[in-house]
Amino acid sequence: MESTESSYVSSPEAARNRSPPPPKSATSGNEEKPAHIKFLVSNAAAGSVIGKGGSTITEFQSKSGARIQLSRNHETFPGTSDRIIMVSGTVDDVLKAMELILAKLLNELNIEDNDDVGPRTKVRLIVPNSSCGSIIGKGGATIKSFIEDSQAGIKISPLDNNFYGLNDRLVTLTGTLDEQMQAIELMLSKLCEDPHYSQAMHAPFSYAVTHYSMNYAPNGTGGKFPNHKEDHSNSIMIGVPDEHIGLVLGRGGRNIMEIGQLSGARIKISDRGDFMSGTTDRKVTITGSQRAIRQAESMIMQKVANATERAMD
């Protein structure tokens, strides 16, 4: 069966014959727009970014103006042992912070570099499945242009079906630091216009997913079965901007009751003034089976996305 993986990798041969990218910034006009990037790092690399007593992360935040957050030791991306870094701020601030972080990690690798171009490494970005279409473009036109302009290899992984409820995909950028930064800038120019992507910033680091394992029937045939014990006791917390909470609640709580009835999930919204740490987002706790949580979260985020689109018009 053919993989659903979207793989677009620029060859070094093609890169040598290509004219250099134009000096105009890909994010021109978007510099002050709010943006965020999530990407994976090993536990050792996470320690390097934090620094002794938090000195490095504090320095990077001060230099860039961006906010840099790391998931805890046990909060890893499903199917990996890697932690998650989220960088948020204006587009300009995010790009400055990304360059500081990636340069630091590159320096830690101690790669013997005899080439003027610099070593080619990989960075794995986390992108919501719903936003991947805007990066790929019609017939792959957008991602191909990103590869042409950045000279980086760009590979979008398929959704990992071993984890029920996982709605994020990994985008692997392969290239020198300059090539990776150009590819990140090009991707941000697209993603910061996508309402699905802006909502992903409020998703918690902890993935509420059910892992499917192979169970073997008496005749030796295998099949995927969810762990139903976990399935009924899951709970996630998402952030909803305070100004949009009224739309989620509805008049007299009508909307939230309808979402609860349709999804089968229990939904609790924090009191006024009780925000997620460092934000003005109200806490929305969704409890129930994986299917119920997924449906309720989707319905809530759709209402928020609609409100955001109306505000932008």
Side-chain angles (χ1 to χ4, degrees):
M1 184 175 170
E2 195 176 13
S3 166
T4 55
E5 187 171 46
S6 301
S7 178
Y8 302 87
V9 182
S10 59
S11 70
E13 190 65 39
R16 279 197 292 272
N17 297 328
R18 201 178 292 138
S19 57
K24 188 185 175 191
S25 170
T27 52
S28 183
N30 290 330
E31 295 92 341
E32 295 304 311
K33 274 195 173 184
H36 75 280
I37 282 183
K38 288 180 184 176
F39 64 105
L40 303 190
V41 289
S42 67
N43 204 37
S48 172
V49 172
I50 294 167
K52 193 172 184 179
S55 58
T56 304
I57 197 168
T58 303
E59 179 195 342
F60 286 177
Q61 288 186 126
S62 175
K63 280 184 174 178
S64 67
R67 186 180 183 203
I68 304 169
Q69 297 167 272
L70 278 93
S71 65
R72 292 190 286 267
N73 275 338
H74 65 278
E75 292 176 330
T76 58
F77 188 80
T80 77
S81 57
D82 288 338
R83 286 166 70 180
I84 301 156
I85 294 184
M86 183 167 81
V87 181
S88 55
T90 66
V91 170
D92 258 7
D93 292 348
V94 168
L95 290 171
K96 283 176 197 165
M98 284 300 292
E99 186 152 18
L100 287 167
I101 294 168
L102 294 180
K104 168 79 173 169
L105 296 180
L106 187 62
N107 192 46
E108 296 285 319
L109 291 174
N110 293 320
I111 297 172
E112 285 294 326
D113 180 22
N114 301 317
D115 190 345
D116 292 340
V117 179
R120 290 175 70 84
T121 58
K122 290 183 179 182
V123 60
R124 292 191 292 173
L125 310 182
I126 301 171
V127 177
N129 186 44
S130 54
S131 300
C132 285
S134 65
I135 299 172
I136 295 168
K138 194 171 183 179
T142 304
I143 199 168
K144 285 173 185 170
S145 75
F146 287 176
I147 290 165
E148 285 292 317
D149 291 343
S150 70
Q151 303 184 18
I154 305 175
K155 184 177 177 182
I156 302 179
S157 71
L159 266 179
D160 190 339
N161 294 321
N162 287 319
F163 294 91
Y164 181 80
L166 179 61
N167 295 310
D168 289 339
R169 292 163 77 172
L170 294 176
V171 179
T172 304
L173 307 180
T174 306
T176 64
L177 177 59
D178 286 347
E179 289 166 355
Q180 288 173 344
M181 285 307 305
Q182 179 71 6
I184 288 168
E185 187 174 344
L186 288 162
M187 284 175 61
L188 264 189
S189 69
K190 272 287 177 197
L191 290 171
C192 67
E193 297 166 4
D194 183 347
H196 294 294
Y197 192 71
S198 63
Q199 290 309 316
M201 189 169 81
H202 306 297
F205 280 126
S206 185
Y207 280 84
V209 296
T210 299
H211 182 245
Y212 282 89
S213 57
M214 294 301 288
N215 292 282
Y216 289 90
N219 62 2
T221 58
K224 285 183 180 176
F225 298 95
N227 182 331
H228 291 290
K229 190 175 179 183
E230 284 183 352
D231 206 38
H232 290 290
S233 59
N234 276 308
S235 181
I236 67 164
M237 184 186 288
I238 60 174
V240 171
D242 197 35
E243 64 269 25
H244 297 324
I245 209 74
L247 281 168
V248 175
L249 277 166
R251 187 171 290 177
R254 187 181 301 164
N255 288 353
I256 204 80
M257 283 170 63
E258 185 181 64
I259 291 170
Q261 286 169 355
L262 290 171
S263 66
R266 293 189 303 282
I267 303 161
K268 185 182 175 188
I269 296 174
S270 65
D271 296 332
R272 189 170 293 169
D274 183 7
F275 300 131
M276 292 188 80
S277 178
T279 73
T280 54
D281 292 344
R282 296 274 284 278
K283 301 170 186 171
V284 179
T285 306
I286 309 170
T287 308
S289 69
Q290 273 299 330
R291 190 178 296 278
I293 288 173
R294 192 178 186 182
Q295 190 174 352
E297 183 184 11
S298 173
M299 293 167 81
I300 290 167
M301 287 309 189
Q302 188 57 55
K303 287 198 178 294
V304 174
N306 290 344
T308 308
E309 283 171 10
R310 279 202 296 273
M312 288 168 69
D313 287 344

